[in-house]
Amino acid sequence: MSAPTVAVVVADEILTPSWDLYELSIPCTVFGNAQADLADPWYDLRLCGDGAGTPDAVTTSTGLTLRTRHGLDDLAGADTVIVPSVPDACVEDGEPLPPVLINALRHAHDAGARMVSLCTGAFALAEAGILDGRRATAHWMHTAQLAKRYPKVHVDDSVLYVDEGDVLTSAGLTAGLDLCLHLVRRDHGSHVANQLARRMVVPAHRAGGQAQFIELPVPSTDDEGLGPVLEWARASLERPLTVEDLAERAAMSPRTFYRRLQATTGTTPLQWLLTQRLARARELLESTALPIEKIGELTGLGTANNVRHHFLKHVGVSPSTYRKAFPRGETVGR
């Protein structure tokens, strides 16, 4: 079996601010380093630029020069196409995106590629008409411009990423990593994604949406004993945990614990617990054949009916429907 191809757009007009290099490095790190012990084959990463095969090269504002072996025409032959970002001038000032890029994205989509944008890359997919009628996101600083310029796109500024099946979009910067790990999770299952995340020293799944990052940095998990109690709670989800249990474990009053957790994560203790229970249930549905009743017991969600209730409310599908989307021992192709 051949490795699925992931084509990342590297165009001279795109790589301008230094943070764009960070967003470019995310798919390169996730898809470009072979992980044969996790999945073999892994991915065939291709950087596709508009100067491929010529003496021209992509030069960033930081002075870094990149040469690619593939051109934008090669996007049409890829299984997955990723647009890391677009120039600030195209977002803030409305300058047109390169027509050659937009045409290449349309051809790739028409050819059946899975289309992905990180941060402001959503503007390129929107310009190509790929996001019309779809739910999408981008960095919260730019979602208002995205919604105004492309009214056919259903912009959601509250989430880290949106999965519309064959079209996926993420919020800015590290949310791109969340989305790339989600792609691995879709393709190879939660175990592989979790192991890869551990190697990268990042969480395999971050709960919550963009709102918690607008004014707060990524929360620290070792702030005055909060981190250890959250790790303990994750390992004890089968127990009927209460705020009082967590506060006692953290040697805090329930009020102090509630306030500190909300300030750190942007959510309440009970909502945080529910998110962790659902994440564990999703992992068990993806990786085991355990009955729903047993999953409810192991995750603390309770009865099978309670598990179904929470999945329909928070995931949008039933547990059995969710399980069918992640066949064990198989990978998801184009």
Side-chain angles (χ1 to χ4, degrees):
M1 183 174 65
S2 60
T5 304
V6 176
V8 181
V9 174
V10 186
D12 192 45
E13 293 88 350
I14 290 179
L15 280 173
T16 324
S18 59
W19 53 76
D20 286 353
L21 292 174
Y22 173 68
E23 285 161 352
L24 172 64
S25 72
I26 289 172
C28 291
T29 301
V30 172
F31 303 110
N33 297 314
Q35 308 286 343
D37 59 321
L38 297 181
D40 190 18
W42 190 240
Y43 296 91
D44 177 11
L45 179 73
R46 298 179 181 179
L47 301 183
C48 298
D50 51 10
T54 73
D56 297 330
V58 177
T59 303
T60 74
S61 61
T62 59
L64 178 65
T65 298
L66 301 175
R67 294 186 182 276
T68 63
R69 291 184 297 172
H70 303 277
L72 294 179
D73 289 344
D74 293 314
L75 298 182
D79 296 291
T80 299
V81 172
I82 300 178
V83 185
S85 58
V86 300
D88 280 351
C90 297
V91 177
E92 302 294 343
D93 304 327
E95 290 190 9
L97 286 158
V100 63
L101 170 62
I102 301 306
N103 289 333
L105 293 175
R106 288 174 179 151
H107 291 155
H109 182 244
D110 291 342
R114 179 170 60 180
M115 307 299 291
V116 179
S117 68
L118 310 183
C119 193
T120 58
F123 284 78
L125 297 189
E127 183 65 26
I130 296 170
L131 299 184
D132 286 357
R134 296 179 183 267
R135 181 166 160 261
T137 194
H139 194 292
W140 60 268
M141 294 179 66
H142 305 300
T143 48
Q145 294 101 314
L146 182 65
K148 181 178 180 180
R149 194 169 305 164
Y150 304 101
K152 293 182 179 180
V153 181
H154 306 304
V155 179
D156 187 343
D157 63 358
S158 67
V159 295
L160 295 176
Y161 58 83
V162 173
D163 183 344
E164 286 277 289
D166 61 336
V167 179
L168 301 93
T169 56
S170 85
L173 297 171
T174 303
L177 178 56
D178 294 313
L179 178 52
C180 287
L181 286 173
H182 173 71
L183 291 172
V184 174
R185 189 163 171 260
R186 267 185 48 173
D187 293 347
H188 298 291
S190 61
H191 175 73
V192 171
N194 291 345
Q195 291 301 310
L196 178 60
R198 289 184 64 188
R199 294 177 183 183
M200 298 177 68
V201 199
V202 296
H205 173 76
R206 289 192 295 164
Q210 291 197 71
Q212 62 182 308
F213 301 110
I214 292 177
E215 296 182 353
L216 296 175
V218 176
S220 171
T221 56
D222 58 357
D223 181 24
E224 298 188 25
L226 192 59
V229 72
L230 296 184
E231 288 302 317
W232 172 79
R234 289 189 187 97
S236 309
L237 293 175
E238 74 283 357
R239 301 177 53 175
L241 298 173
T242 65
V243 177
E244 288 73 20
D245 294 330
L246 298 176
E248 181 180 1
R249 185 83 180 187
M252 303 176 191
S253 70
R255 178 176 296 181
T256 298
F257 180 82
Y258 186 103
R259 185 171 61 249
R260 183 164 294 165
L261 183 68
Q262 190 169 43
T264 302
T265 67
T267 189
T268 66
L270 293 182
Q271 185 59 49
W272 182 88
L273 273 173
L274 177 59
T275 299
Q276 302 307 311
R277 295 188 197 281
L278 284 170
R280 178 59 177 153
R282 291 168 65 166
E283 181 179 344
L284 291 173
L285 285 169
E286 295 170 17
S287 60
T288 75
L290 291 172
I292 306 301
E293 293 81 1
K294 185 63 176 179
I295 290 177
E297 175 186 332
L298 293 174
T299 61
L301 287 173
T303 65
N305 284 337
N306 207 35
V307 176
R308 294 187 186 96
H309 166 76
H310 284 299
F311 259 74
L312 287 171
K313 182 177 181 180
H314 299 283
V315 183
V317 296
S318 68
S320 58
T321 300
Y322 183 86
R323 171 172 267 163
K324 290 176 183 177
F326 295 91
R328 296 183 306 282
E330 300 179 12
T331 58
V332 180
R334 190 193 298 182

